[in-house]
Amino acid sequence: MTVFDRSERLIWAGQGAAYAGSFAKLCAYPVPQLLDAAEVGPGSRMLDVGTGPGTVAAAACARGATVTAVDAEPTMVELAKQAAPAADVRVAALPRLPFTDGEFDAVVANFVLNHVGQPKIALAELRRVVRPNGWIALTIWAVPPAAGQTLIGRAIQAAGAVRPPHLPAGLAPDDDFPRDESGLAGLMDAAGLRAAVCETLRWDHRASADEWWSGPASGVAFGGQLVQSQTPRIRAEIKRHFDLFSAEFAGQDGLLTLPHAALLARARR
């Protein structure tokens, strides 16, 4: 486990409910396309890696798949068990999964590769547990990010927040990869997968300003931990800038319309 991986465990510890009430709705958007890409249907043996509150697992169960789901964070696993009672949900994490070689017809990972320290090694592990010719499908956030993705980060930067030592600056250069279509497809090729293809998904996420602020206010994800580590004065400045910048996305109904962009890729073992 890398320093980045250990930091991720600490960042997400106990955050299941806070994530479910904030960013989980955003991350649910690509789920139908993700399952289509993995060709998940009745009778499919599917593994959902990094299930979070179980959104993907529940959707796959509704398609008639036989679903196993894992997450590193126990509070996420408890939520996933409630969301997908027909699934086998357990605590487990990349880069080592407790499954035999070729155990699944399809493996999916929705916004999970963003949270591992060695993405190529993680992909090789996904390859190991899917059967020959089975599909691996995944999503990650695209770079450069869409305008809605930068709202919280802009507020943090404008307030002069300083990154604390316990939050990693990023992946080691040898482990990182370009977060664009060719970069993600190339990473899948490098992990030994075949016929990798990648597309960009774009959508507008609708949320109230209070809902969108609830994530960082509760310490969810890297940005939330960055907010929570600041002094009270800087936290107040972050919130002031968040309110100011949010007005750019507010509609007449008071909700924010936040453009987002993600990469959806699939490949065969």
Side-chain angles (χ1 to χ4, degrees):
M1 184 183 294
T2 68
V3 171
F4 184 91
D5 291 316
R6 285 192 290 271
S7 177
E8 284 288 314
R9 300 291 188 275
L10 292 173
I11 286 171
W12 288 99
Q15 290 289 357
Y19 170 74
S22 55
F23 300 137
K25 295 176 184 176
L26 166 73
C27 295
Y29 177 86
V31 170
Q33 297 99 313
L34 181 71
L35 295 178
D36 287 346
E39 299 188 1
V40 174
S44 299
R45 298 170 301 158
M46 191 203 81
L47 173 64
D48 177 21
V49 178
T51 190
T55 306
V56 176
C61 287
R63 292 188 177 205
T66 299
V67 177
T68 301
V70 300
D71 201 280
E73 171 49 38
T75 59
M76 298 289 191
V77 168
E78 290 307 309
L79 291 174
K81 288 179 177 179
Q82 297 172 31
D88 174 10
V89 187
R90 60 182 89 169
V91 175
L94 291 166
R96 292 183 177 87
L97 298 173
F99 306 111
T100 58
D101 294 358
E103 188 168 338
F104 301 97
D105 299 314
V107 177
V108 298
N110 194 36
F111 298 112
V112 173
L113 217 61
N114 309 80
H115 301 290
V116 299
Q118 296 177 302
K120 186 169 76 172
I121 290 175
L123 275 174
E125 179 70 350
L126 301 186
R127 180 185 181 277
R128 181 185 69 80
V129 299
V130 75
R131 64 168 173 79
N133 292 318
W135 287 105
I136 292 173
L138 58 91
T139 54
I140 66 169
W141 296 113
V143 176
Q149 290 165 257
T150 66
L151 170 57
I152 294 168
R154 285 172 59 200
I156 291 170
Q157 183 176 19
V162 177
R163 181 179 60 83
H166 74 278
L167 292 179
L171 302 187
D174 289 345
D175 292 319
D176 210 351
F177 65 98
R179 308 305 170 102
D180 55 25
E181 292 179 10
S182 61
L184 181 53
L187 182 71
M188 298 181 91
D189 290 337
L193 294 164
R194 299 184 293 109
V197 293
C198 184
E199 64 178 305
T200 301
L201 305 178
R202 299 184 186 277
W203 72 100
D204 289 336
H205 180 63
R206 300 269 288 160
S208 69
D210 287 344
E211 177 185 328
W212 202 236
W213 176 248
S214 71
S218 299
V220 175
F222 181 94
Q225 290 291 305
L226 186 53
V227 170
Q228 291 300 305
S229 68
Q230 306 303 309
T231 64
R233 183 184 68 81
I234 295 296
R235 287 201 300 271
E237 276 296 289
I238 295 171
K239 180 57 164 62
R240 185 176 72 82
H241 282 94
F242 173 84
D243 292 340
L244 178 66
F245 298 151
S246 292
E248 301 171 16
F249 303 95
Q252 292 183 348
D253 59 1
L255 295 179
L256 306 182
T257 299
L258 300 164
H260 279 74
L263 304 175
L264 168 64
R266 76 169 187 165
R268 286 188 186 275
R269 175 176 173 180

